[in-house]
Amino acid sequence: MTKIDHIGVAVHELEPAVKFFQDNLRLELKEIKELPERGLKIAFFQVGDTLLELLAPLSDDSQISKFLARKGEGIHHIAFTTPDIEAHMAELTEKGVRMATPEASIGAEGFPIAFLHPKATHGVLTELIEKK
Ligand code: ZN
């Protein structure tokens, strides 16, 4: 069954945002990690079966810098589980659904991920994640 794996929220600065969610929503911090190749510093909170992922830029050319400049802080993407990412992507491509990433890559959690283009998904950047 498909689940929402995580919801990604873009923030300008990680530490104050982490503290806000810890202190005010009593969320349990799972981990903080840096992904220099994507220019990102991220924090995961465990919220039931779903993670809340805070994404902050490490540099001006990070993967979320354009988003932050255009839209400011806010919900950046929603990630849904898929049993077989390659088969799922092939199916989407065949149907003409626009992908934001042409190939799957390994995401912050260590699982294969791919993004559907927000123009194809009613305005929501949508991630597929294959969790074994
Ligand atoms: Zn994500």
Side-chain angles (χ1 to χ4, degrees):
M1 192 186 73
T2 301
K3 290 182 180 178
I4 292 181
D5 180 72
H6 63 270
I7 297 172
V9 174
V11 301
H12 287 297
E13 268 188 83
L14 199 65
E15 286 72 18
V18 166
K19 191 167 163 22
F20 177 86
F21 283 99
Q22 281 179 315
D23 292 354
N24 299 297
L25 291 152
R26 304 194 180 123
L27 299 192
E28 187 189 323
L29 183 64
K30 191 177 173 224
E31 68 175 329
I32 289 183
K33 58 168 79 168
E34 292 196 4
L35 302 172
E37 68 281 6
R38 296 174 190 214
L40 296 177
K41 189 168 181 185
I42 63 177
F44 283 113
F45 294 95
Q46 191 75 51
V47 188
D49 280 348
T50 304
L51 296 166
L52 180 71
E53 176 186 33
L54 302 181
L55 307 118
L58 280 172
S59 59
D60 287 345
D61 58 353
S62 77
Q63 273 189 347
I64 57 160
S65 294
K66 264 195 230 158
F67 178 93
L68 281 167
R70 260 204 319 258
K71 300 193 172 174
E73 295 188 321
I75 292 185
H76 177 261
H77 68 276
I78 300 180
F80 296 94
T81 58
T82 184
D84 183 338
I85 201 162
E86 296 294 344
H88 202 153
M89 288 177 73
E91 185 190 322
L92 291 169
T93 303
E94 195 175 307
K95 286 179 182 165
V97 176
R98 186 169 164 198
M99 300 297 297
T101 50
E103 282 173 27
S105 62
I106 299 299
E109 294 181 79
F111 299 102
I113 62 164
F115 287 92
L116 281 70
H117 198 280
K119 287 237 164 75
T121 54
H122 303 268
V124 180
L125 178 60
T126 299
E127 179 180 346
L128 297 175
I129 180 166
E130 181 185 317
K131 272 191 160 169
K132 291 279 160 62

